[in-house]
Amino acid sequence: MTELTKLTLAAALDGLKAKEFSSREITQQFVDAIEGARTLNAYVVETPEKALAMADASDARLAKGEGGKLEGAPLGIKDLYCTKGVRTTACSNILGAFTPTYESTVTQNLWDEGAVMLGKLNMDEFAMGSSNETSRFGNVINPWRRKGDNQGLTPGGSSGGSAASVAADLCLAATASDTGGSIRQPAAFTGTVGIKPTYGRASRYGMVAFASSLDQAGPISKTVEDSAILLKAMCSHDPKDSTSLSVETPDWRSDVSKGVKGMRIGIPKEYRMEGMSDEIDKLWEQGIVWLKAAGAEIVDISLPHTKYALPAYYIVAPAEASSNLARYDGMRYGARIAGENLTATYEDTRAGGFGAEVQRRLMIGTYVLSSGYYDA
C-alpha cells in the first residue's frame, strides 16, 4: 500500500473523495506511525479507537457521496483546545486530568466537516514558551537534524507538538495557536507552513486562555494550500466569543492559486536588524527575489514602532495571563493540593501546579496590574 502519511492534506482529500483509499486505511497508517515515533514526544494523548470510529463514519458518508470539506482527514489537535471526553490540560499540572464536557468551536467546526482526531499534541505549558520545554510532559523533539549530526533539536514553541507532528508525517495537518509567535516560529523551525490569521477570524471559545486579546487559533500544515483548506474550516462567526468577527470566510484555497502577481508587498527596514546572521540575511534576499519573479511589486517601508513590540507584549500578555489564570485555584476543576486552610490550599495548589515559566509570567503580570506600577 502507498505510504499515505506522506500525502498533503489536499491530495489526501482528493484521494478519499475518489475512493482511491479509505479513511480507515489512512487513519490506521497514522496510528501506526504515531506509535512508532513516540520518541519525538509530539502527542500527549493518543486516541486510536476514537480516530478509527470517526474514520469508519466518514467512510460511510463518503460511500453515499456525502461528507464535509475535511471528510476522513486525520488531524492532530493542540492540547490547548477543549475536546469533549478527551483530556485537555494545556500541558500543565494545574489542570490534572481535566476532561472537558464540551467542545471548542474550532474543533467542532472540524468535526462538522468530517475531520478525524488522532489525539492531542504537546505544547509549552499554557502556551508560554518558545522551545516546547515547559510542558509537563517533557519537550518535543524536532524530526529534522543537522547534516552529519543526530543531536535532538527543538521544534520551537509553543505549538511544538503541532509542528513536529506535521513535519514527521504523524498527521495530515494540525491545529495550533499564536499569542506571540507560537504558530509562526515552530513552523519556521520545522519546514512547515503556519498562519496566524486576523484576530477574531477563528473563535477562541473552548481554547484554554493565555492572553485573551492576543490568542489566535490557526493551522500548521505541509503546504500553503493545506493551511488555506484547514483555516477555512476552522474559521466561523461565533456568538459564544464576543471578539468573533461577523464576516464571511473567504475561499482562501482558490486565492492561493492566483499567486502574488500585481500585489504591492512592503518590506519593513526594521525587520532586518543589526546582528542578523548572513544565512538569514541571504534567505531574506532570496524571498524578495522570489516575490519579484512571481510578479509582485516590492516597496521599502518603515514600521518605526517595531522596537516597542516586545516591551508591549511583555506588559499585555503577562497582565492578561495573571487575570486569566487566577481561575486555577484548586476549587472547581483540575489539580488540588490541600493545605491547612483555604489560603494555604490556594498557595500550595498554584505553587505545585504551575511550572517555573508560568509562575514567572504570572508574577510579572501581577506586578504590571498593581496600582503602583499602573500609576507609573
Side-chain angles (χ1 to χ4, degrees):
M1 189 190 299
T2 306
E3 197 169 357
L4 302 176
T5 58
K6 300 290 185 184
L7 294 174
T8 64
L9 175 60
L13 290 171
D14 290 343
L16 286 163
K17 191 173 181 180
K19 298 182 176 58
E20 295 171 4
F21 49 85
S22 68
S23 179
R24 173 170 268 271
E25 286 174 319
I26 190 170
T27 299
Q28 185 63 62
Q29 284 199 19
F30 275 116
V31 168
D32 295 341
I34 291 166
E35 289 179 356
R38 286 177 178 154
T39 54
L40 296 179
N41 201 28
Y43 281 84
V44 295
V45 178
E46 297 174 21
T47 56
E49 295 85 3
K50 184 179 182 69
L52 291 170
M54 294 174 80
D56 289 341
S58 284
D59 285 334
R61 287 189 289 270
L62 288 166
K64 298 176 185 176
E66 301 171 354
K69 294 180 176 63
L70 295 174
E71 199 64 58
L75 305 178
I77 306 298
K78 186 176 180 178
D79 198 32
L80 200 73
Y81 293 84
C82 286
T83 42
K84 186 176 181 179
V86 179
R87 191 189 72 196
T88 302
T89 66
C91 291
S92 175
N93 283 316
I94 199 80
L95 273 162
F98 175 64
T99 303
T101 57
Y102 61 96
E103 195 78 34
S104 78
T105 297
V106 164
T107 50
Q108 187 61 59
N109 288 348
L110 300 180
W111 314 148
D112 290 346
E113 291 292 351
V116 170
M117 183 171 77
L118 292 167
K120 305 300 286 291
L121 296 165
N122 206 344
M123 55 179 282
D124 281 294
E125 183 182 5
F126 280 105
M128 298 184 194
S130 55
S131 58
N132 219 133
E133 293 176 288
T134 69
S135 168
R136 73 184 262 196
F137 301 106
N139 60 301
V140 180
I141 305 298
N142 193 326
W144 288 91
R145 294 292 179 270
R146 294 188 185 93
K147 189 174 183 179
D149 186 351
N150 200 37
Q151 181 182 358
L153 304 173
T154 175
S158 66
S159 305
S162 300
S165 64
V166 173
D169 296 323
L170 304 182
C171 59
L172 287 175
T175 63
S177 67
D178 196 313
T179 303
S182 289
I183 289 176
R184 295 160 290 167
Q185 186 244 34
F189 277 25
T190 57
T192 55
V193 177
I195 300 174
K196 179 184 183 181
T198 299
Y199 185 81
R201 273 285 184 192
S203 172
R204 290 181 296 108
Y205 177 77
M207 289 176 65
V208 179
F210 166 10
S212 299
S213 71
L214 302 171
D215 296 344
Q216 287 161 251
I220 290 181
S221 69
K222 297 177 183 179
T223 68
V224 174
E225 182 182 23
D226 285 359
S227 281
I229 294 169
L230 186 55
L231 185 61
K232 181 174 175 59
M234 293 172 69
C235 291
S236 65
H237 173 58
D238 183 10
K240 295 192 289 289
D241 176 2
S242 63
T243 63
S244 175
L245 295 174
S246 181
V247 293
E248 184 179 352
T249 302
D251 184 4
W252 288 305
R253 185 180 188 181
S254 64
D255 289 341
V256 166
S257 64
K258 297 175 183 176
V260 297
K261 188 174 183 179
M263 288 188 182
R264 298 180 75 236
I265 298 177
I267 306 294
K269 66 178 183 180
E270 290 82 5
Y271 284 16
R272 299 179 78 170
M273 56 193 67
E274 189 178 347
M276 181 184 287
S277 71
D278 291 340
E279 181 184 9
I280 299 302
D281 194 56
K282 288 177 182 176
L283 288 171
W284 189 275
E285 277 297 330
Q286 180 64 67
I288 293 172
V289 170
W290 283 334
L291 288 169
K292 285 182 177 178
E297 178 188 353
I298 302 301
V299 182
D300 291 326
I301 64 170
S302 176
L303 296 176
H305 295 125
T306 297
K307 61 184 178 181
Y308 301 118
L310 194 59
Y313 172 83
Y314 266 103
I315 291 174
V316 175
E320 294 188 358
S322 177
S323 177
N324 275 327
L325 272 61
R327 72 190 68 175
Y328 303 108
D329 54 10
M331 295 295 115
R332 289 159 290 183
Y333 47 80
R336 176 190 297 190
I337 299 175
E340 295 179 357
N341 51 47
L342 184 61
T343 300
T345 298
Y346 286 155
E347 292 174 345
D348 293 347
T349 297
R350 291 172 68 80
F354 291 132
E357 178 63 18
V358 174
Q359 290 185 34
R360 184 181 74 87
R361 297 199 193 194
L362 291 182
M363 292 305 295
I364 293 171
T366 302
Y367 177 65
V368 165
L369 292 172
S370 67
S371 58
Y373 184 93
Y374 186 85
D375 291 341

